[in-house]
Amino acid sequence: METTSPGARAVIPPIPAVLGAIVSVQGGAAVAKTLFPVFGATTTAGLRIGLSALMLLAAFRPALTKLTAAQWRVVVPFGIALGTMNAVFYLALARIPLGLAVTVEFLGPLSVAVLHSRRALDLLWVGLAAAGIALIAPWGGRGPDALGILFALLAGACWATYIVLGGRLSRLLSGGSAVSAAMVVATLTILPFAVAGGGLARLTPRLFLAAIAVALLSSALPYSLEMVALRALPARTFSILMSLEPAVAALAGLAFLGERLLGTQWLAIVFVIIASIGATVTARETSAAVEV
């Protein structure tokens, strides 16, 4: 894609590229939520995934028929995890504010980082994350929708699976081909639910353009920007910057959707961000120590 060309790398510095990717993803989620009253969450997710798959197939032109059985054995579960993650995240987003949905979902990558480290300090990150979720949880039936929180937790579990399988897939297939093939599987995974939702019958040219915007903002553009950043930034720096997503999500929810969070909910977001950054740093340090 053009944003990954040498010229683009010179124009877009890596840190602004990461921040741009984060803003793009959360902006796309905010736009997607405005489509829920028309399409419903699952149909909106299906449109996003399907259109993203078409964009990535056009950009990378992967030779799907030439993939080996070993590659498909990883691509298929990876794609299923990707499709399910998007569907249940949108179901969460339909019930709770964007900032809270992303914060709870972030427990997925946080758990992967903690499990890859063996330091006693990790208990602090687990405790901070647990405190953050405790501040968000609907105690006594008050607070965010409980089913929305559950959907966000499921999205986090799918995200953790996506990370683990993505590591395996990266050793079998190049990035562009891998994500394109996975998007096709993700589309097939979510398509029956998107059709069953009945929202496609209400598709108009204007709404179709909005769906294209969601696909661009949520998948095609951030993926391209992340590829620019990953070529220039250490993995630890990239991961720490990505930990800002819950805060950006909360700000996007406030700016575009009018979602105002309570002070305790903002504190929960801060706790999860600190836990994510801490777990990333200690996991990388442990990994470096093992390599030495």
Side-chain angles (χ1 to χ4, degrees):
M1 297 180 70
E2 289 184 357
T3 48
T4 59
S5 65
R9 289 199 297 271
V11 172
I12 307 175
I15 292 179
V18 177
L19 298 177
I22 294 172
V23 171
S24 181
V25 167
Q26 301 311 326
V31 174
K33 189 164 184 174
T34 66
L35 299 178
F36 290 176
V38 179
F39 295 128
T42 53
T43 299
T44 303
L47 284 169
R48 172 201 164 173
I49 292 294
L51 291 171
S52 297
L54 292 175
M55 293 173 188
L56 291 170
L57 286 172
F60 295 107
R61 296 181 176 85
L64 298 180
T65 57
K66 295 184 179 180
L67 297 187
T68 66
Q71 290 170 330
W72 278 116
R73 280 196 293 270
V74 183
V75 167
V76 170
F78 181 75
I80 291 173
L82 176 61
T84 305
M85 176 178 69
N86 281 276
V88 294
F89 176 73
Y90 275 20
L91 288 170
L93 194 55
R95 292 174 172 271
I96 60 177
L98 174 58
L100 299 188
V102 173
T103 299
V104 175
E105 185 192 30
F106 233 74
L107 293 181
L110 175 58
S111 65
V112 173
V114 169
L115 289 173
H116 280 78
S117 184
R118 295 293 183 272
R119 296 191 175 197
L121 188 59
D122 292 330
L123 294 176
L124 173 60
W125 314 135
V126 172
L128 272 175
I133 298 307
L135 288 171
I136 293 174
W139 301 109
R142 292 179 295 181
D145 181 87
L147 188 56
I149 296 293
L150 178 59
F151 280 136
L153 287 170
L154 289 174
C158 290
W159 196 353
T161 304
Y162 169 90
I163 292 170
V164 173
L165 292 176
R168 298 177 189 173
L169 187 58
S170 65
R171 295 188 288 271
L172 297 173
L173 201 59
S174 65
S177 296
V179 74
S180 302
M183 276 291 190
V184 172
V185 176
T187 300
L188 296 175
T189 300
I190 196 173
L191 186 61
F193 302 97
V195 172
L200 292 176
R202 293 186 286 275
L203 192 63
T204 65
R206 184 180 65 83
L207 290 173
F208 184 67
L209 288 176
I212 290 176
V214 170
L216 279 170
L217 290 169
S218 301
S219 298
L221 179 58
Y223 176 74
S224 301
L225 291 172
E226 287 171 8
M227 291 302 99
V228 171
L230 283 168
R231 287 188 176 93
L233 289 177
R236 179 194 293 186
T237 304
F238 179 83
S239 298
I240 289 173
L241 289 171
M242 291 299 290
S243 297
L244 297 174
E245 280 213 48
V248 175
L251 292 173
L254 176 62
F256 301 121
L257 301 171
E259 296 176 341
R260 297 182 180 276
L261 302 183
L262 300 175
T264 53
Q265 293 170 340
W266 280 106
L267 184 60
I269 291 172
V270 171
F271 281 174
V272 171
I273 289 175
I274 293 174
S276 180
I277 292 173
T280 297
V281 171
T282 53
R284 296 292 179 186
E285 289 175 353
T286 301
S287 176
V290 170
E291 289 175 3
V292 172

